[in-house]
Amino acid sequence: MLYGRQLILPDLGKSGQLKLKNTSILIVGAGGLGSPAAIYLAAAGVGKLGIVDYDKVEKSNLHRQIIHNETREGISKAQSAKMTIEGLNSLCNCVAYEILLDSLSALEIVQQYDIVVDATDNVATRYLLNDACVISGKPLVSGSALRMDGQLTVYNYKGGPCYRCLFPKPPPPESVLNCADGGILGVVTGVIGCLQALQAIKIATENDESPNNLLIFSATSYPLFRSIKLRSKKKDCVICGDHPSITKLQDYVQFCGSGALDKSPSVKELGREDRIEPKVYHNLRNETPHVLIDVRETVQYEICSLPSSINIPLKDLPKRIEDVKKLLETPNTSVYVICRLGNDSQHAVNILKNYLKGEVKDIIGGLYKWSLEVDQEFPIY
Amino acid sequence: MSKEITILYFATARDATNVSSEKISLPSQSMSMSLKDLTDLLKKRHEKLVPVLETSLYAINMEYVECDYQSILVKEGDEVAIIPPVSGG
Ligand SMILES: [Zn+2]
């Protein structure tokens, strides 16, 4: 019997199992958090699961996005998640939404579900989902993770706060790291995603006695978990307070200064004259004396690097100008700068231009483009 | 002996300070300080923490405090957690 081992749980029982069957849960994001959350919710017998994701399956994300696999590379993450769920539990009605959730689409979708699981990877969608859940009166099971840290909270639930109550102001976009730039240990998203599934099950089965709290997980600290007791919602909150000034969905990309698609926003800081295509650099590499500086963090440089490149992380560059000067054969020797995607290298060129006499250029698109256009053997990570 | 409070840093607050916790001494003769004064003191100690504090929430002894920082007092032995939002996934 499919649910036998959980049916005999006094905390669940037949009535709890029926409640799960009659519950619909929307999971926004089929990534590191959404993968384990969706797998456990489907396996537990939730009647209907909606999965929203705009992205495609990528190999470099499989270490945490475990609902997908190598054979699905390049196909829609929403569809891939649906395939796994249907293979796991054919009784689960799974709906895949291959869309970017925005102010136009969010309310209509959110209103069709009982519980919303925020498993997204960006600030703008977090505010969007918060507002959509407050407006349509749905509990929001919010999880997040980066590097070795995670957070879990249920917003807009039992008189507790919403996301805006706790974080009224979005962090400045340049301070927000994403998993592509900051890194993430797969099991950290796994821990938080599983807890999101647990929390959703407790809400669905009306089995949640705990006061509103913010759970903090820190894989490198002791203790691993800390629970912060929250208050009730704020009377002056702009959306869930006594006199809300926000009554319909907003422009969240503008509010946050960055959107869901700006995974690693590409910067255009430099003019054409300060930049060089990877192919052009490849051609002059063995012909022209020059210095190649790689401004990635050392932990990344150690994974892979171009021969004869010198590693000076961007954050150290301002205090290492003299080291750069010592590398030059003549004061006019050309300097080229490379990084992973071609953003930090532009910042570095802007710094170096103030101190160097010779030409300073950034390699457009960084090692990523180098790998695509010059050397397919060079690893993309 | 000076009277101390403990500060806990999470996520980007820990990155900005390079420590996960530290002890701060209360000004001599005083039994407490306002959260506002503590914030100013932390900003002076850690330049990189300034933008992080703008959007972080505070908890004293694992209980969330609203941002009326002038009237909230931190006492000897209190544990103040600084919790910035995490948004990845
Ligand atoms: Zn609110």
Side-chain angles (χ1 to χ4, degrees):
Chain A
M1 190 182 199
L2 197 51
Y3 308 120
R5 292 297 179 279
Q6 69 187 37
L7 269 172
I8 58 174
L9 280 172
D11 288 306
L12 194 81
K14 184 181 157 195
S15 72
Q17 192 66 55
L18 281 172
K19 282 175 186 162
L20 284 181
K21 175 76 195 155
N22 291 320
T23 297
S24 57
I25 300 180
L26 182 69
I27 300 175
V28 184
L33 301 165
S35 289
I39 287 171
Y40 274 109
L41 289 174
V46 169
K48 181 181 172 189
L49 278 183
I51 312 274
V52 184
D53 206 304
Y54 181 77
D55 277 338
K56 304 220 167 349
V57 176
E58 273 179 50
K59 207 176 214 166
S60 65
N61 289 328
L62 290 178
H63 76 118
R64 68 184 190 284
Q65 303 185 355
I66 53 167
I67 202 166
H68 317 297
N69 62 53
E70 288 188 7
T71 64
R72 310 233 182 103
E73 224 186 322
I75 77 166
S76 134
K77 277 161 68 176
Q79 286 298 344
S80 164
K82 183 178 154 83
M83 286 157 77
T84 302
I85 287 169
E86 285 175 344
L88 181 62
N89 187 348
S90 56
L91 298 175
C92 178
N93 168 20
C94 182
V95 185
Y97 301 90
E98 291 172 52
I99 56 160
L100 187 66
L101 210 64
D102 60 17
S103 315
L104 296 175
S105 57
L107 271 183
E108 202 196 316
I109 297 175
V110 163
Q111 278 163 354
Q112 298 171 39
Y113 291 84
D114 302 316
I115 300 167
V116 179
V117 172
D118 183 347
T120 57
D121 61 357
N122 68 88
V123 186
T125 312
R126 289 185 184 278
Y127 281 98
L128 165 70
L129 275 178
N130 179 70
D131 293 3
C133 284
V134 171
I135 290 170
S136 46
K138 311 286 181 181
L140 176 62
V141 182
S142 168
S144 60
L146 187 76
R147 294 190 163 165
M148 307 296 274
D149 296 292
Q151 294 178 351
L152 174 83
T153 323
V154 183
Y155 293 112
N156 195 39
Y157 181 55
K158 294 198 299 194
C162 79
Y163 189 64
R164 284 187 191 263
C165 289
L166 296 193
F167 303 109
K169 251 201 303 189
E174 62 278 9
S175 78
V176 181
L177 271 178
N178 57 45
C179 295
D181 293 335
I184 174 84
L185 189 67
V187 67
V188 171
T189 47
V191 167
I192 302 297
C194 285
L195 287 170
Q196 286 181 279
L198 174 66
Q199 196 59 57
I201 289 171
K202 285 167 74 175
I203 296 171
T205 57
E206 297 162 279
N207 212 347
D208 190 9
E209 303 291 320
S210 51
N212 288 302
N213 67 92
L214 162 64
L215 187 69
I216 302 176
F217 173 71
S218 184
T220 52
S221 304
Y222 177 83
L224 287 173
F225 290 99
R226 287 175 200 260
S227 185
I228 308 289
K229 202 173 150 209
L230 297 176
R231 300 201 171 182
S232 42
K233 61 183 179 177
K234 267 191 194 165
K235 286 188 169 57
D236 59 353
C237 174
V238 291
I239 184 145
C240 79
D242 292 344
H243 305 284
S245 57
I246 296 176
T247 51
K248 57 182 193 334
L249 298 181
Q250 312 281 301
D251 182 341
Y252 297 90
V253 177
Q254 190 191 31
F255 177 62
C256 299
S258 72
L261 289 177
D262 304 335
K263 289 279 152 61
S264 303
S266 42
V267 200
K268 278 213 185 72
E269 243 184 49
L270 301 176
R272 204 68 211 169
E273 67 287 357
D274 292 323
R275 317 198 66 190
I276 185 167
E277 286 290 340
K279 277 184 181 157
V280 181
Y281 171 72
H282 177 64
N283 292 336
L284 66 76
R285 195 166 147 77
N286 297 321
E287 313 291 321
T288 319
H290 69 278
V291 170
L292 176 64
I293 298 176
D294 186 324
V295 292
R296 291 174 298 155
E297 290 293 319
T298 304
V299 62
Q300 296 188 34
Y301 184 81
E302 282 169 354
I303 300 170
C304 52
S305 63
L306 291 180
S308 81
S309 62
I310 312 280
N311 182 218
I312 304 180
L314 179 64
K315 65 172 170 25
D316 301 333
L317 190 61
K319 52 181 187 283
R320 292 190 56 188
I321 300 291
E322 286 310 310
D323 295 345
V324 177
K325 284 185 177 168
K326 278 180 205 149
L327 295 167
L328 308 180
E329 248 171 69
T330 74
N332 289 317
T333 304
S334 302
V335 172
Y336 298 101
V337 186
I338 199 160
C339 64
R340 188 162 73 103
L341 296 170
N343 292 341
D344 283 355
S345 56
Q346 295 183 64
H347 297 305
V349 167
N350 269 337
I351 295 169
L352 289 170
K353 275 203 297 193
N354 297 325
Y355 301 96
L356 304 181
K357 290 203 176 88
E359 136 183 305
V360 190
K361 288 186 176 182
D362 103 287
I363 297 174
I364 296 169
L367 290 163
Y368 181 77
K369 202 170 177 195
W370 176 268
S371 167
L372 294 181
E373 295 182 359
V374 176
D375 178 8
Q376 270 88 40
E377 298 287 293
F378 196 87
I380 290 178
Y381 64 93
Chain B
M1 225 189 86
S2 69
K3 299 177 168 57
E4 287 180 327
I5 50 176
T6 305
I7 317 289
L8 302 174
Y9 298 106
F10 292 97
T12 48
R14 192 181 52 224
D15 297 340
T17 58
N18 276 321
V19 290
S20 56
S21 72
E22 65 179 337
K23 302 242 187 243
I24 301 271
S25 299
L26 286 168
S28 53
Q29 313 299 328
S30 43
M31 302 299 287
S32 64
M33 72 194 293
S34 75
L35 200 51
K36 168 84 172 60
D37 291 344
L38 176 66
T39 303
D40 292 341
L41 191 125
L42 294 178
K43 285 179 177 171
K44 274 200 204 103
R45 277 173 88 101
H46 308 283
E47 196 195 326
K48 286 188 185 156
L49 195 60
V50 175
V52 178
L53 285 171
E54 292 284 303
T55 52
S56 295
L57 57 85
Y58 290 81
I60 300 180
N61 301 327
M62 293 300 133
E63 235 178 278
Y64 166 70
V65 290
E66 301 230 338
C67 28
D68 181 13
Y69 297 153
Q70 204 76 58
S71 66
I72 293 168
L73 294 179
V74 187
K75 305 179 303 297
E76 179 187 3
D78 278 353
E79 200 178 51
V80 180
I82 293 174
I83 307 159
V86 169
S87 53

